[in-house]
DNA sequence: ATATAAAGAAAGTCAAAGATGGTCAGATGA
DNA sequence: TCATCTGACCATCTTTGACTTTCTTTATAT
């Protein structure tokens, strides 16, 4: 029932928290620990630790190889916030929008409650009556409007 | 002879009662249990666990997928709020939506900040790329979804 | 010693298979 | 007629494994 990928995700996130921002893992060792094929580690990283999710990943192959996963840090909240809003562009998928919102919450640029409301506003259920071809465009507009309102 | 859909409905409702407000099911497992096709589960959910009935449904596909059905809090102040949400109906103008939101703020059902976010989400600017014929419908859906999220 | 080849040790890629849930139109039955 | 039931087809997410690339270590020839 419990998804292995979720377990691995949590494990890595805990590791990052403990070490204050960075986890260094060995792919094969982790795979052995969780009894899965090594490439599943790549799957987890590729779906949950992307730039969009606020992570930066580096690695080295060969003997003594490793994978480093860092949480991207925010130094200038206001600037980064603006930058992120601008980076949303004219169109955005629900998946992407949720990742952005979670980041805003994580970096304390908006509250947890704000995040809940925003996710409700841009979810597929909320936009079900918009033509599929327009949904991503409308979603981007709604998201940008909400974000702008909070900082203007 | 009780209709199968009614049996399934009761089963899910009992489950929600037992767990105090939330049932997590697996569509295929449930279908197997009741000897029906999986899509009948969707039928039951779609006809008996709607917003109008006071339920909130979420789901995930893929390995380890599931369907979560939450009962909106009933025996508390939210009960009246729920009626207000439902009174919004299937379609609403921006003017009317803003009036509703302001009322919610005035009566302290939502915060001032919540109101700002909601107005940003349902404003004409946010919905500019939706076909005019759909706007009021989409607006109603967004507003209801945001409000519902606050009480589930 | 030095250069080089071979072996070993990681990690990366990608596509197929597996596991769920969603949709919709037509059949069925009270 | 209207609600219910069914099944074919679709969308999404996860797991697995064969094959590839890169880096380090070790053996070998000069």
């Amino acid at each position: 029932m419990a998804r292995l990928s979720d377990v691995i995700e949590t494990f890595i996130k805990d590791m990052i928290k403990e070490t204050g921002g960075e986890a260094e893992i060995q792919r094969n060792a982790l795979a052995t620990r969780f009894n899965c094929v090594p490439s599943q580690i790549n799957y987890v990283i590729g779906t949950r630790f992307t730039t969009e999710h606020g992570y930066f990943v580096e690695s080295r192959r060969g003997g003594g190889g490793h994978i480093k996963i860092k949480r991207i840090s925010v130094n200038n909240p206001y600037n980064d916030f603006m930058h992120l809003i601008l980076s949303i562009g004219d169109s955005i998928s629900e998946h992407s929008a949720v990742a952005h919102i979670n980041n805003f919450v994580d970096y304390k640029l908006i509250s947890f409650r704000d995040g809940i409301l925003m996710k409700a506003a841009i979810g597929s259920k909320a936009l079900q009556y918009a033509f599929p071809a327009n949904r991503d465009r409308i979603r981007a507009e709604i998201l940008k409007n909400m974000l702008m309102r909070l900082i203007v």
Side-chain angles (χ1 to χ4, degrees), chain A:
Chain A
M1 261 271 263
R3 271 175 233 99
L4 218 211
S5 287
D6 289 345
V7 176
I8 297 173
E9 175 189 3
T10 301
F11 177 82
I12 295 176
K13 283 187 173 165
D14 285 350
M15 209 170 159
I16 292 176
K17 268 177 212 148
E18 271 168 32
T19 61
E22 180 175 334
E24 181 167 327
I25 63 175
Q26 294 215 271
R27 195 180 74 147
N28 289 347
L30 245 203
T32 301
R33 174 184 189 128
F34 289 108
N35 237 296
C36 64
V37 294
S39 58
Q40 180 148 12
I41 307 300
N42 294 87
Y43 174 73
V44 173
I45 291 172
T47 53
R48 284 113 151 126
F49 294 93
T50 65
T51 306
E52 192 170 81
H53 290 95
Y55 294 91
F56 179 72
V57 180
E58 290 175 292
S59 69
R60 273 188 70 114
R61 306 184 187 191
H66 64 260
I67 303 176
K68 258 190 213 164
I69 304 171
K70 296 182 194 173
R71 176 96 251 232
I72 295 169
S73 62
V74 167
N75 300 318
N76 187 330
Y78 183 80
N79 274 353
D80 291 345
F81 194 61
M82 274 315 287
H83 190 262
L84 281 171
I85 292 174
L86 294 175
S87 79
I88 287 169
D90 294 337
S91 180
I92 192 170
S93 68
E94 177 175 4
H95 185 81
S96 244
V98 169
H100 276 290
I101 294 169
N102 284 152
N103 272 326
F104 291 140
V105 174
D106 245 45
Y107 291 123
K108 302 198 193 303
L109 295 167
I110 63 176
S111 72
F112 184 72
R113 185 178 172 98
D114 292 337
I116 286 177
L117 282 178
M118 287 188 189
K119 284 182 247 179
I122 56 83
S124 53
K125 260 170 83 188
L127 301 182
Q128 65 183 307
Y129 297 120
F131 286 109
N134 291 331
R135 270 179 210 155
D136 288 357
R137 191 128 188 251
I138 297 171
R139 178 179 293 116
E141 209 55 39
I142 293 172
L143 181 55
K144 284 190 286 185
N145 269 276
M146 290 190 293
L147 290 168
M148 289 301 284
R149 270 310 183 112
L150 291 189
I151 65 168
V152 173

